[in-house]
Amino acid sequence: MGEITPVGLLGRLNISPQAGTLLSVANNRNPKSREHLTLVALISMGLAYSIRYKEPQFKDSQLLSNIAIAGVFHDIGEIYVDPEFFVSKAGISPQQWQSFSAHPIIGAALVREVVGLDNVCQAAILQHHERVDGMGYPLGVSGKAMSPVANLLALAEMGAAMRGRGCPLHRIDIALKIVPHEFDPAMV
């Protein structure tokens, strides 16, 4: 069969019609979401692929598939966020923040109830904005309580967000030095 690669695995994902509908809704509400979701999925799979020798659990093809799926669906809860939130240049109100910060909870529920994803994917989606130092949201989970896949997604999303703003790769390295305790050092 050959070696599993991130791009190859992403291309072979089995997406149900219900999951496809959710992704279409997400893309219609925010046209930049498809690029972001794909980039996060690829970066997180690339991270898993690169640390597979240090962390043997990341050699498992089912876990790699879960990482890909969680990357694709990590922000699916944003379909319930007011679209103005994403285009507004003004500051956000407390109500807007409350709505936005709930998207991991909503996303985890959607992938459980509508898509039927397993607990690994649900936990990763729920925790993708958590940080190792406990300063993330929505639950303030920290350290070993974080899912390893959520750690990958958190790091991948930060990298994807910076790349989406046109930042060169060395800026990501600088950002990781500024916030050294937010992400799992073994993954950084």
Side-chain angles (χ1 to χ4, degrees):
M1 177 176 168
E3 194 170 358
I4 298 170
T5 65
V7 173
L9 184 58
L10 192 58
R12 290 191 304 267
L13 284 182
N14 233 349
I15 304 289
S16 70
Q18 298 86 347
T21 299
L22 285 175
L23 291 172
S24 292
V25 170
N27 191 58
N28 286 337
R29 288 180 59 81
N30 180 359
K32 294 180 181 178
S33 72
R34 183 180 335 158
E35 180 180 335
H36 174 71
L37 299 175
T38 303
L39 190 54
V40 169
L42 288 170
I43 292 172
S44 59
M45 287 187 300
L47 287 169
Y49 191 75
S50 70
I51 64 172
R52 70 193 181 279
Y53 299 111
K54 290 188 249 176
E55 302 284 339
Q57 78 238 28
F58 290 112
K59 281 188 172 183
D60 177 38
S61 63
Q62 181 57 49
L63 184 61
L64 286 175
S65 181
N66 283 342
I67 290 167
I69 291 168
V72 169
F73 287 96
H74 77 279
D75 276 340
I76 202 68
E78 288 182 359
I79 64 176
Y80 287 92
V81 174
D82 181 357
E84 284 298 310
F85 177 86
F86 300 105
V87 295
S88 175
K89 301 291 185 216
I92 60 170
S93 70
Q95 292 82 11
Q96 287 174 312
W97 172 249
Q98 186 177 26
S99 171
F100 177 77
S101 66
H103 84 269
I105 297 168
I106 295 166
L110 281 172
V111 299
R112 179 184 65 244
E113 300 298 327
V114 177
V115 183
L117 296 184
D118 67 18
N119 291 338
V120 172
C121 292
Q122 292 171 41
I125 291 166
L126 176 63
Q127 297 176 1
H128 78 275
H129 281 295
E130 302 290 357
R131 298 295 182 256
V132 171
D133 62 5
M135 298 304 291
Y137 66 90
L139 305 174
V141 174
S142 64
K144 299 281 185 214
M146 279 185 72
S147 146
V149 178
N151 273 312
L152 279 173
L153 285 180
L155 186 55
E157 183 165 50
M158 189 274 301
M162 291 187 74
R163 287 296 298 152
R165 293 185 182 104
C167 292
L169 289 176
H170 73 275
R171 295 268 175 101
I172 295 171
D173 186 46
I174 292 168
L176 289 170
K177 289 176 182 165
I178 293 170
V179 291
H181 304 294
E182 284 193 14
F183 302 102
D184 181 346
M187 292 184 189
V188 171

